[in-house]
Amino acid sequence: MTRERKMNIQLATAVVLALAGLVLIMMGFWVSPIGEIHNSVLVAFGEISTFSGCLFGVDYHYKINKYHGQKNQSDNSGTA
C-alpha cells in the first residue's frame, strides 16, 4: 500500500468520523428516550467521534504537508 493511498484512507476516515459524530450530536436533541439508547450515550459517542475525526484530520494535514515537502525536494534535486 502506497503512502498516498494510506493518507487518502486516513482522510476518508476522518471525514466519516467527524460527520458521524455531528449527526449523533444532533440526534441527541431529536431522539426521545424510548428505552433503547439514552440521549447522553448518543451525545457522548458523537463527541468522541467528532474529536477522533478532528485528530485524524489534523494528523492528515501535517502528513500531507510533509509529503508534499519531500516530493518538492526530490523534484528540485533532480533539476539541479
Side-chain angles (χ1 to χ4, degrees):
M1 188 181 288
T2 65
R3 182 178 179 151
E4 194 169 320
R5 179 152 168 80
K6 285 182 184 179
M7 288 192 301
N8 287 338
I9 290 171
Q10 183 175 359
L11 179 62
T13 304
V15 169
V16 168
L17 278 173
L19 290 176
L22 291 173
V23 167
L24 287 172
I25 288 171
M26 294 306 294
M27 286 187 69
F29 294 114
W30 297 324
V31 176
S32 62
I34 310 170
E36 294 176 9
I37 299 176
H38 194 266
N39 288 344
S40 62
V41 175
L42 288 173
V43 172
F45 185 75
E47 288 177 3
I48 291 168
S49 295
T50 305
F51 182 69
S52 299
C54 290
L55 287 180
F56 270 130
V58 168
D59 185 50
Y60 175 83
H61 173 76
Y62 287 107
K63 279 185 180 179
I64 198 74
N65 282 347
K66 184 178 177 183
Y67 174 74
H68 284 301
Q70 289 174 350
K71 190 174 178 182
N72 288 339
Q73 264 184 348
S74 65
D75 290 345
N76 291 339
S77 65
T79 59

